[in-house]
Amino acid sequence: KQEVTQIPAALSVPEGENLVLNCSFTDSAIYNLQWFRQDPGKGLTSLLLIQSSQREQTSGRLNASLDKSSGRSTLYIAASQPGDSATYLCAVRSLTSGTYKYIFGTGTRLKVLA
Amino acid sequence: EAGVAQSPRYKIIEKRQSVAFWCNPISGHATLYWYQQILGQGPKLLIQFQNNGVVDDSQLPKDRFSAERLKGVDSTLKIQPAKLEDSAVYLCASSLGLAGGNMGETQYFGPGTRLLVL
């Protein structure tokens, strides 16, 4: 059974700092991995999607890496800003009970202090 | 492009009552998902539709939850009767639905419906 863990659960950093969020999963047989952002009272916004054959994806100040063999992904945020404050969720798409579905981690709640 | 719409945004009911949520996906998206997100947890897939057919409902508590997607567009999720543990945010998402909805496409989420069962 696929399990997804995100560490730390919460993080508070000063503005301008570079930071890394971690995601680990127990079954390396994944189809892809997505990083999402969730703002309070709102739905999820997809940030980056990494296919199982890829090692990393970049979008602006965000860089996500994937190491399937070790069951890990990291989300790197460069030069953090107060607007980056949100909960960041990773989700792996795995074959579960006969169908592919996304299994989500519990998220990292990020606060960037001005 | 309009996003995924959900209503109501908030609902408070007493246990054993029934409740229904509505979702309108992005136009042209064939795949529609309903997720349950309990406070402090990640979303859990309840049901996935491809057009108006069910792809996966393995985690839907079918004794009390039901969902339909008539005409392959809008969808409703119903809980009857509600229990205290159903208190959560119910998220609807949609994706293009290429290859029968089983590809790793980007999902677009609605704002969610926050349900409180007293």
Side-chain angles (χ1 to χ4, degrees):
Chain A
K1 178 186 173 186
Q2 180 72 272
E3 293 183 1
V4 180
T5 304
Q6 291 187 247
I7 295 173
L11 182 63
S12 186
V13 300
E15 182 177 6
E17 194 161 296
N18 301 326
L19 57 100
V20 174
L21 306 181
N22 297 294
C23 172
S24 61
F25 44 95
T26 54
D27 185 351
S28 61
I30 65 171
Y31 192 83
N32 63 37
L33 182 146
Q34 273 198 64
W35 281 94
F36 292 87
R37 168 184 174 142
Q38 185 171 30
D39 293 282
K42 297 187 179 179
L44 281 66
T45 302
S46 179
L47 298 173
L48 290 164
L49 185 153
I50 310 177
Q51 301 294 348
S52 62
S53 58
Q54 298 175 319
R55 293 301 300 268
E56 65 178 330
Q57 281 286 337
T58 298
S59 176
R61 295 182 294 108
L62 305 179
N63 175 276
S65 67
L66 174 64
D67 184 344
K68 265 183 39 174
S69 60
S70 66
R72 292 182 181 181
S73 176
T74 62
L75 178 66
Y76 175 83
I77 302 177
S80 59
Q81 303 171 358
D84 295 330
S85 298
T87 296
Y88 290 81
L89 294 152
C90 75
V92 298
R93 194 171 180 92
S94 300
L95 185 62
T96 306
S97 301
T99 59
Y100 282 98
K101 57 171 63 76
Y102 277 110
I103 308 298
F104 282 81
T106 53
T108 294
R109 194 167 58 254
L110 173 66
K111 187 167 186 178
V112 180
L113 305 170
Chain B
E1 170 181 89
V4 176
Q6 289 188 248
S7 68
R9 293 296 311 276
Y10 305 93
K11 191 75 177 179
I12 300 174
I13 62 172
E14 295 188 350
K15 60 183 179 183
R16 291 187 290 273
Q17 286 187 323
S18 62
V19 64
F21 313 128
W22 173 82
C23 172
N24 182 239
I26 292 174
S27 177
H29 280 193
T31 308
L32 185 147
Y33 313 81
W34 282 102
Y35 289 89
Q36 180 193 58
Q37 185 175 24
I38 293 172
L39 187 65
Q41 299 182 18
K44 181 182 81 171
L45 179 69
L46 293 176
I47 189 167
Q48 176 183 340
F49 290 96
Q50 179 68 9
N51 295 310
N52 59 353
V54 175
V55 173
D56 181 3
D57 63 358
S58 58
Q59 299 186 107
L60 185 74
K62 298 180 186 64
D63 58 333
R64 298 183 300 106
F65 286 64
S66 64
E68 60 181 8
R69 191 183 183 196
L70 300 176
K71 301 179 182 178
V73 181
D74 293 5
S75 177
T76 56
L77 176 70
K78 297 179 181 178
I79 308 175
Q80 182 179 12
K83 293 185 175 181
L84 297 177
E85 58 261 35
D86 298 332
S87 295
V89 176
Y90 291 85
L91 296 164
C92 179
S94 69
S95 65
L96 278 171
L98 300 176
N102 224 16
M103 287 185 64
E105 305 170 323
T106 295
Q107 295 182 25
Y108 297 87
F109 283 78
T113 296
R114 188 174 300 273
L115 174 67
L116 179 61
V117 183
L118 302 176

